[in-house]
């Protein structure tokens, strides 16, 4: 239905970048800018989910976001920049990226449960979940989306968890043959639940619940060193 | 490229089922029948991967399998039956369905490592891996494929592993809060590796390796009960 438009160019030489626009017009307020940016990213994500990355057009996204096409190009001069914007937006609206601080005396195990589980559990209905589902269905047609998701979500999350587990090893709370494998394990139920709940059994009354799965995984991981946990402070 | 043909009917009233055909012609040998059935299932899987389930036609599958179209309908009278044939074929050619027997005195933990790991490790290049990748990309367009995969692969595997873990609990080798969650955990690295290696980073020189991940998972799962393992016979 939008195929005639699918080859519409995503760059326009007449339109400068946001910085230039600001100089020209004294610029909208920072709040307004952030709001428009978010509005566009949300519309683009919804549009990608609905018609696919390859078939969606800047025209339709502008209409959905209720901004002028020129405004859209001002914020995102190309489709690749828009893709990055969409990925970054969805990730920012995900609790795992909320910078939680470890409380004084809190074990890494307790901190992992406190910081990872709420996101994991909410993932089905969050923008992050929507993005991950989009990646499943679109990655083979939109390699740039897959690349961005890997860089900004998959790898970033691995690094975050790996750093936490390294700390747990250093503090004597965790014994593991491989910190990086253990971090990979912690991400794996996310993918299984996503595949099960949105691909294999989208209409099932019983969803595969992520939270108890990750809870069990954390417990199993840390229980290996249970004997060594006695002298780790916990609150 | 095959769209003109996409609506070709998948049933033909003139063609009977295999049993009737056998009566008419005295029938091909059982070996020959099994070979033709396999030949068609392999061609169909390859065709599904190449053009998608919705767009592929019985004509193209017959040509690829090098059988007459009538022969194809003889074995698989409808596209849904063909889908089931493809799923069953791919699963049969997967080591996890080889009925391994537990050796005398072998712990469930050792048996799990011996029976699950070879399949998991080989999955990237097996027909089962190809099928799972097909499910990722096609499930939303081909709900019947998703339903069949869930029934014949996902649920069947869960039941198999759950029965094994129940045995391990009964024999005092495993302590777990939930056998079914633990069985789910054991499947989860498969999905993460699949998503990583075929969607997020198909061209990466470093694949995410499944075998060490599952090994670590089994060890973590059983180590919770390490203290109780001393009196379990192992060979």
């Amino acid at each position: 239905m939008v195929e005639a438009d699918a080859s519409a160019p995503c760059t326009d030489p007449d339109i400068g970048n946001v910085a230039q626009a600001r100089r020209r017009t004294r610029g909208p307020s920072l709040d307004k800018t952030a709001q428009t940016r978010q509005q566009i990213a949300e519309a683009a994500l919804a549009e990608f989910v609905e018609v696919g990355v390859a078939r969606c057009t800047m025209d339709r996204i502008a209409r959905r976001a209720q901004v002028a096409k020129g405004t859209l190009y001002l914020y995102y001069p190309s489709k690749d920049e828009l893709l990055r914007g969409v990925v970054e937006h969805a990730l920012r609206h995900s609790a795992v990226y909320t910078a939680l601080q470890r409380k004084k005396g809190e074990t890494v195990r307790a901190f992992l449960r406190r910081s990872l589980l709420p996101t994991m559990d909410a993932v089905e209905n969050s923008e992050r979940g929507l993005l991950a589902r989009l990646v499943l269905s679109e990655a083979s047609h939109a390699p740039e989306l897959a690349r961005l998701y890997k860089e900004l979500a998959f790898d970033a999350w691995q690094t975050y968890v790996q750093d936490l587990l390294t700390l747990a090893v250093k503090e004597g709370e965790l014994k593991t043959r491989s910190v990086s494998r253990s971090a990979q394990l912690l991400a794996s139920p996310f993918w299984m639940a996503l595949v099960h709940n949105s691909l294999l059994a989208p209409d099932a009354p019983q969803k595969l619940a992520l939270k108890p799965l990750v809870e069990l995984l954390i417990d199993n991981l840390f229980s290996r060193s249970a004997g060594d946990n006695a002298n780790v402070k916990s609150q």
Side-chain angles (χ1 to χ4, degrees), chain A:
Chain A
M1 56 233 193
V2 293
E3 274 173 339
D5 243 350
S7 60
C10 287
T11 50
D12 185 335
D14 289 340
I15 297 173
N17 59 29
V18 177
Q20 281 174 328
R22 284 217 192 110
R23 273 196 298 278
R24 266 203 311 267
T25 63
R26 273 206 229 153
S29 74
L30 276 176
D31 269 8
K32 176 82 177 119
T33 301
Q35 196 192 319
T36 307
R37 181 171 282 280
Q38 172 166 343
Q39 203 171 315
I40 294 172
E42 271 167 15
L45 177 56
E47 197 64 21
F48 288 157
V49 168
E50 205 174 297
V51 303
V53 174
R55 297 178 68 202
C56 111
T57 64
M58 295 298 254
D59 256 344
R60 282 183 61 115
I61 292 168
R63 221 174 307 141
R64 189 163 198 147
Q66 297 183 292
V67 300
K69 202 169 163 189
T71 308
L72 174 55
Y73 281 113
L74 208 62
Y75 283 82
Y76 301 104
S78 70
K79 209 169 179 181
D80 275 358
E81 285 177 70
L82 183 57
L83 268 179
R84 176 175 278 266
V86 164
V87 175
E88 282 173 344
H89 166 76
L91 295 179
R92 243 196 320 274
H93 286 75
S94 156
V96 87
Y97 281 80
T98 311
L100 286 180
Q101 293 294 318
R102 251 173 103 193
K103 295 182 194 157
K104 212 181 152 192
E106 186 175 37
T107 59
V108 171
R109 176 187 194 160
F111 180 65
L112 270 173
R113 291 181 71 139
R114 188 164 65 86
S115 61
L116 296 189
L117 282 179
T119 323
M120 291 254 177
D121 196 37
V123 96
E124 298 292 333
N125 308 306
S126 72
E127 299 230 355
R128 192 188 170 102
L130 204 61
L131 177 66
R133 275 193 289 277
L134 181 72
V135 168
L136 282 190
S137 62
E138 287 286 309
S140 44
H141 319 292
E144 182 59 14
L145 174 69
R147 202 192 59 71
L148 281 170
Y149 187 89
K150 182 178 184 309
E151 176 197 333
L152 301 175
F154 195 94
D155 292 348
W157 199 86
Q158 286 301 310
T159 306
Y160 172 78
V161 177
Q162 235 169 281
D163 289 350
L164 269 173
L165 295 184
T166 303
L167 203 64
V169 169
K170 206 178 287 171
E171 296 180 354
E173 188 190 342
L174 175 69
K175 277 187 184 169
T176 177
R177 273 192 290 155
S178 164
V179 161
S180 70
R181 303 261 182 237
S182 298
Q184 285 170 356
L185 278 189
L186 280 169
S188 62
F190 171 83
W191 292 106
M192 191 176 65
L194 192 72
V195 167
H196 180 275
N197 297 342
S198 57
L199 293 184
L200 299 186
D203 305 319
Q206 276 281 34
K207 296 281 170 204
L208 194 151
L210 197 46
K211 185 175 166 173
L213 221 53
V214 179
E215 220 159 40
L216 181 61
L217 194 53
I218 294 178
D219 287 350
N220 288 348
L221 190 63
F222 281 81
S223 291
R224 289 200 79 177
S225 325
D228 306 291
N229 272 350
N231 56 357
V232 173
K233 275 176 285 179
S234 70
Q235 59 167 22

